[in-house]
Amino acid sequence: MFPSISLKNFFGIVNIEINTKNKLTFEDIINIANKEMKEKINKDRLENFIYNNTKLENNVLAKFIPLFVKNFVVNLAFKLFEDKQKTMTISNFGNIILPDDMKDYISHFEAVVYPTINSPLNCGVCSFNDKLSITFNRTVIETDIIKYFFKFISNISDIEIYSNDFGV
């Protein structure tokens, strides 16, 4: 949506809520997530998000506040307002493009999203050379969600699965 050659990075969060009290099929969950993502990820919303974040960064008064104070306020806000009820975080790093002379040396990429106390199961998604990689990282022993996901996907597509076998 926003082509750039900048090395500055930003991220945004889209929360999708699935009411597990309802009896839903996997397809129902995919449809709900797809609908909410389409509603929440669009150019206008992202422009507004970027504007609000850069507005604070470019604020003249904010430049005079010591960094340790800014860090304290940001960390406090994160602790107070972070969503504590989530199953997992999924981060899509998108399609990775490299110069042609490097492509022969790399078979695939993996996107690692480290788990946290409030998000003990995370998933990173990226692609390279028409190969999609889906990587799960976790601090919990249970593997039911991961196994169900790959079993479902393997029923609809030809896939290769590999694991470090931790907790399997």
Side-chain angles (χ1 to χ4, degrees), residues 7-36:
L7 293 178
K8 282 190 171 186
N9 193 8
F10 76 93
F11 73 94
I13 296 171
V14 174
N15 289 313
I16 296 176
E17 185 175 331
I18 307 290
N19 186 342
T20 57
K21 293 177 184 170
N22 300 330
K23 292 282 185 190
L24 299 172
T25 65
F26 188 69
E27 291 83 6
D28 293 335
I29 293 169
I30 295 296
N31 288 333
I32 291 168
N34 188 34
K35 180 178 179 277
E36 286 200 33

Side-chain angles (χ1 to χ4, degrees), residues 16 25 30 56 66 110 120-121 124 126 145 148 152:
I16 296 176
T25 65
I30 295 296
L56 184 61
E110 295 178 16
L121 174 64
C126 66
I145 293 172
Y148 182 83
F152 181 83

Side-chain angles (χ1 to χ4, degrees), residues 15-17 23 25 27 37 44 51 59 62 81 115 120 122 124 128 133 159-160 162 164:
N15 289 313
I16 296 176
E17 185 175 331
K23 292 282 185 190
T25 65
E27 291 83 6
M37 291 289 277
D44 290 338
Y51 172 76
N59 185 309
F81 300 111
N122 289 336
F128 173 71
S133 292
I159 64 171
E160 175 186 348
Y162 68 92
N164 64 1

